[in-house]
Amino acid sequence: MRSESVADAGVAAAPVDLRELALTFSDDTCMEVRDARGERSLFDMMGPGRETLRGVPPFEIVVGNIQHVSLTYQNEEIDLEPHARGDVARLTLGDS
């Protein structure tokens, strides 16, 4: 007797609710972004430019050199200053 797996039973996996983070850098900054799955989407020293990330919320975010970073989540500009100690912001975005 063979047991049916979820795939065999024709049951589709639950859709993953990916959300988007858009980052703009005007100077060098250190960045780390992890999503709810614990996946590290970004862990790097970033130079001037743009980066768009997709993942499962909530996102755990660490931003260095905050005066040179613009962060947008779900088309809303996020103010990093209230999350900062000195020049580094730590924050969580998205549903928990």
Side-chain angles (χ1 to χ4, degrees), residues 14-88:
V16 177
D17 184 21
L18 297 178
R19 304 281 175 89
E20 190 172 280
L21 290 171
L23 301 144
T24 303
F25 309 102
S26 61
D27 201 354
D28 293 342
T29 185
C30 290
M31 284 292 308
E32 180 175 6
V33 179
R34 288 184 186 263
D35 73 3
R37 300 171 292 189
E39 292 184 14
R40 196 177 339 191
S41 306
L42 183 62
F43 183 71
D44 208 348
M45 176 66 99
M46 305 301 293
R50 299 190 66 157
E51 187 77 28
T52 301
L53 307 172
R54 295 188 74 192
V56 177
F59 295 95
E60 297 291 329
I61 303 168
V62 180
V63 182
N65 207 10
I66 64 169
Q67 67 273 17
H68 296 289
V69 179
S70 171
L71 171 61
T72 303
Y73 176 66
Q74 296 297 101
N75 297 314
E76 180 180 331
E77 184 79 24
I78 304 300
D79 183 7
L80 296 173
E81 193 62 40
H83 306 282
R85 278 198 164 172
D87 203 24
V88 177

